[in-house]
Amino acid sequence: MIFSTLEHILTHISFSVVSIVITIHFLTLFLLVDEVVGLYDSSEKGMIVTFFCITGLLVTRWIYSGHFPLSDLYESLIFLSWGFSLIHMVSYLKFKKRKNNLSAITAPSAIFTQGFATSGLLTKMHQSAILAPALQSQWLMMHVSMMVLGYAALLCGSLLSVALLVITFRKAIKIIGENNNFSFSFGKIQYMNERSNVLLNTYFLSSKNYYRYQLTQQLDRWSYRIISLGFIFLTIGILSGAVWANEAWGSYWNWDPKETWAFITWTVFAIYFHTRTNTNLEGVNSALVASMGFLIIWICYFGVNLLGIGLHSYGSFTLN
């Protein structure tokens, strides 16, 4: 009873704090109050509080359930929210002396996942249950934690790529709209990418264009680093899952829906890294691949659970 009450309190505190953080970001975005340093400091402290609250929530659930809290969709969503907070903490500690706006990505991601996890749709999963026989293994912590941390990092990196595309194509979309002639093709994208580079070089001395150039380069660099980390986690998760599958089911790979979409996700981001090895394809083109990966991740992580079939059906989503 005590542990359940503590978990309930920590859940609501973390959800409330991250909501305030998002409100602060909206204020800085729409009211143009970036110069108020206190607001930025408050948002950073809010994400720190959120991180420790979710950490306490997971530890509490681990203690009273007797197993690592990654046995169902509810627990994995809470862990995913913790992963977003962890990414923010790492970036905060690394860039402590400089302004870091990564919470504009991590805070909404954390509140979305935690909000859904604590909603009435997953009430039956809020109470910890005995582990299914297939999950009673030492591989549970290794495999599932690596996969969820990989999802968190890849989602953050993909969202940064989406932001890069929005900034890059905002002016181009306006021009296309004025000409009433819109054609979407990779050839057009490549042409627009090359033209944007020419414009950046031409107007390099313009403060507005130079700021935009710096911002896009920063987004591209952050996206690449975070996606690289997520890809490593995903690879480790898939390999450890294959070993676990061989022990549990007698086969390293069964083409289960979850396994298939995990492989598709891995392939998409492998293509992302391939595009970055070609200087003609990096930047906008690699960001497009990462943006596609954002949708693929959600299909792999959540969409497959809607089916409730396959060897991973214990993580399925069921309405009350």
Side-chain angles (χ1 to χ4, degrees), residues 235-310:
T235 303
I236 296 174
I238 292 175
L239 292 176
S240 60
V243 176
W244 187 9
N246 184 58
E247 291 185 1
W249 303 317
S251 175
Y252 287 101
W253 198 266
N254 300 280
W255 292 109
D256 176 75
K258 198 79 168 181
E259 295 175 353
T260 302
W261 279 100
F263 177 72
I264 293 173
T265 303
W266 188 90
T267 303
V268 168
F269 285 98
I271 295 173
Y272 166 83
F273 289 112
H274 176 70
T275 59
R276 294 193 66 89
T277 61
N278 189 335
T279 55
N280 294 324
L281 296 177
E282 66 177 356
V284 174
N285 292 281
S286 59
L288 278 171
V289 177
S291 300
M292 292 171 56
F294 177 80
L295 298 176
I296 299 297
I297 295 168
W298 280 115
I299 294 174
C300 175
Y301 173 69
F302 185 73
V304 175
N305 290 334
L306 293 175
L307 300 176
I309 60 175

Side-chain angles (χ1 to χ4, degrees), residues 209-258:
N209 288 326
Y210 180 63
Y211 173 76
R212 183 181 300 174
Y213 172 78
Q214 284 187 317
L215 181 59
T216 54
Q217 290 298 307
Q218 187 180 55
L219 288 173
D220 185 57
R221 184 168 58 254
W222 283 359
S223 176
Y224 174 71
R225 290 179 178 178
I226 296 176
I227 288 177
S228 298
L229 180 63
F231 189 77
I232 294 173
F233 284 144
L234 183 66
T235 303
I236 296 174
I238 292 175
L239 292 176
S240 60
V243 176
W244 187 9
N246 184 58
E247 291 185 1
W249 303 317
S251 175
Y252 287 101
W253 198 266
N254 300 280
W255 292 109
D256 176 75
K258 198 79 168 181

